[in-house]
Amino acid sequence: MTTLLVAAHDGAHLKDATLKALTAALAVGDDIHVLLAGDGVAGAAAEAARLPGVVRVLTAEAPQLAHELAEPLAALLVSLAPAYGVLLAPATSTFKNALPRAAALLDVMQLSDVTAVLAPDTFERPTYAGNAVVTVRSADPIRVVTVRTASFRPTPGAERAPAPIEAVAVPADPGLSAFVGEQFSEADRPELTSARVVVSGGRALGSEERFRELLLPLADRLGAAVGASRAAVDAGYAPNDWQVGQTGKAVSPDLYVAIGISGAIQHVAGMKDAKVIVAINKDPEAPIFQIADFGLVGDLNEIVPELTKALG
Ligand SMILES: Cc1cc2nc3c(=O)[nH]c(=O)nc-3n(C[C@H](O)[C@H](O)[C@H](O)COP(=O)(O)OP(=O)(O)OC[C@H]3O[C@@H](n4cnc5c(N)ncnc54)[C@H](O)[C@@H]3O)c2cc1C
């Protein structure tokens, strides 16, 4: 059978999440087709055509696919599904929304947040906030899978003859949702989920002002994205899209600096795949030190400015 890899892209380019999901698709071991859904996807399709293991690229272009609405994307996936053994996508917000809909319409189980591919029908995924790992074998004719990108290294593009690119028919818009508008926050920092370095702050920062005063200069020195614990987000110290953890974003940077974060399991679920973890906490018993590679016990109000100065 063939695997259909549903690509995350911005029209012109593939997103890093696609290259990580490709690693999972390669582990399934079947031929891979890549689907680019959107409205104006030529640039990203050309990139996909040169990825290792990809034998065909499908483009699906229509106005209703331009804004990542789950309903028309699910309808498209259902129309393509009979030709595939696996529908696989990175577990981004868009695909966490669309793929379970497609699975329900196909009357098969959804395999969410897969962290390892053991066989074409057997996958590992975390449960209980990452405290247990379940091995799931699916007997469904089509396996609908989202993969946790933090668990897979990206497969880079290759120097190879491009795979053929073909346009597929797009089903009629189910008309269940409509795009109204969007607002983006301006950011000149790396994107949190693909950053090589992440500096994260917790409740101990005490206020939004203090959070920005202490963390942003350190993040600037390190060229880092900024993250936060849920407690810091709930207290209004940091915006919602900075939250790392079970109900936030999963990150796997080379370096994760946790500042004034206790290390609750729900936070750790989102950052334990970081290569090197540095923790700054005044409590030597804080659980974050159990997973930290380097720990600094002390008051963040003293340590962080000193560290920032030393890096300057
Ligand atoms: C269903 C569910 C989902 C959740 N999802 C998430 C999630 O996605 N992400 C997440 O982060 N949390 C999540 N949580 C919340 C989680 O359980 C914790 O409550 C939260 O992570 C705690 O945040 P914190 O570490 O910033 O705060 P705290 O637990 O209050 O820890 C603050 C830490 O700062 C230290 N500290 C205090 N003052 C200083 C100082 N001056 N210098 C140095 N250190 C200091 C303390 O010793 C302490 O360890 C979830 C909870 C539930 C129930």
Side-chain angles (χ1 to χ4, degrees):
M1 287 299 278
T2 307
T3 297
L4 183 65
L5 169 60
V6 190
H9 64 90
D10 64 7
H13 298 289
L14 295 173
K15 293 191 176 164
D16 193 51
T18 304
L19 306 184
K20 294 177 175 175
L22 173 63
T23 306
L26 287 165
V28 172
D30 296 326
D31 283 349
I32 298 170
H33 292 182
V34 178
L35 172 67
L36 283 300
D39 198 11
V41 301
E47 285 184 6
R50 292 190 180 273
L51 292 176
V54 173
V55 299
R56 186 172 300 171
V57 173
L58 310 181
T59 58
E61 300 192 81
Q64 70 266 26
L65 295 172
H67 298 290
E68 305 188 347
L69 294 180
E71 292 81 0
L73 181 54
L76 172 67
L77 294 175
V78 169
S79 73
L80 297 171
Y84 294 98
V86 179
L87 302 185
L88 185 145
T92 61
S93 306
T94 297
F95 297 137
K96 283 196 276 191
N97 197 358
L99 266 75
R101 290 169 197 273
L105 292 167
L106 292 165
D107 197 18
V108 298
M109 74 188 282
Q110 161 72 28
L111 291 149
S112 292
D113 240 356
V114 161
T115 50
V117 178
L118 305 183
D121 62 351
T122 312
F123 305 87
E124 278 184 2
R125 56 177 304 271
T127 187
Y128 296 114
N131 275 328
V133 176
V134 276
T135 302
V136 189
R137 176 169 296 143
S138 166
D140 283 329
I142 302 169
R143 277 136 280 147
V144 180
V145 178
T146 56
V147 300
R148 183 178 280 202
T149 51
S151 301
F152 296 91
R153 294 275 147 212
T155 298
E159 279 307 313
R160 51 159 283 191
I165 300 176
E166 78 184 46
V168 295
V170 177
D173 184 354
L176 296 168
S177 55
F179 175 75
V180 176
E182 61 195 352
Q183 286 180 318
F184 292 101
S185 49
E186 296 289 325
D188 49 9
R189 292 180 184 285
E191 207 270 314
L192 185 55
T193 52
S194 56
R196 288 185 51 247
V197 181
V198 174
V199 171
S200 261
R203 197 198 314 261
L205 271 302
S207 70
E208 184 185 359
E209 295 71 41
R210 201 73 188 126
F211 195 100
R212 289 179 180 273
E213 249 168 51
L214 282 180
L215 259 62
L216 299 194
L218 177 60
D220 287 341
R221 292 279 196 288
L222 293 168
V226 181
S229 71
R230 176 158 155 184
V233 169
D234 287 350
Y237 306 163
N240 196 274
D241 58 349
W242 288 5
Q243 185 178 315
V244 172
Q246 183 193 338
T247 42
K249 291 180 175 160
V251 299
S252 55
D254 292 340
L255 173 63
Y256 188 88
V257 187
I259 299 172
I261 292 179
S262 57
I265 51 166
Q266 296 90 352
H267 186 81
V268 170
M271 45 66 77
K272 65 177 170 25
D273 291 317
K275 276 198 199 137
V276 175
I277 297 170
V278 174
I280 300 171
N281 197 303
K282 70 175 184 185
D283 174 8
E285 303 296 325
I288 192 76
F289 288 128
Q290 290 166 15
I291 58 154
D293 299 284
F294 299 94
L296 283 166
V297 179
D299 186 345
L300 64 87
N301 295 296
E302 290 163 18
I303 292 175
V304 176
E306 271 178 42
L307 191 58
T308 307
K309 202 167 149 204
L311 288 165

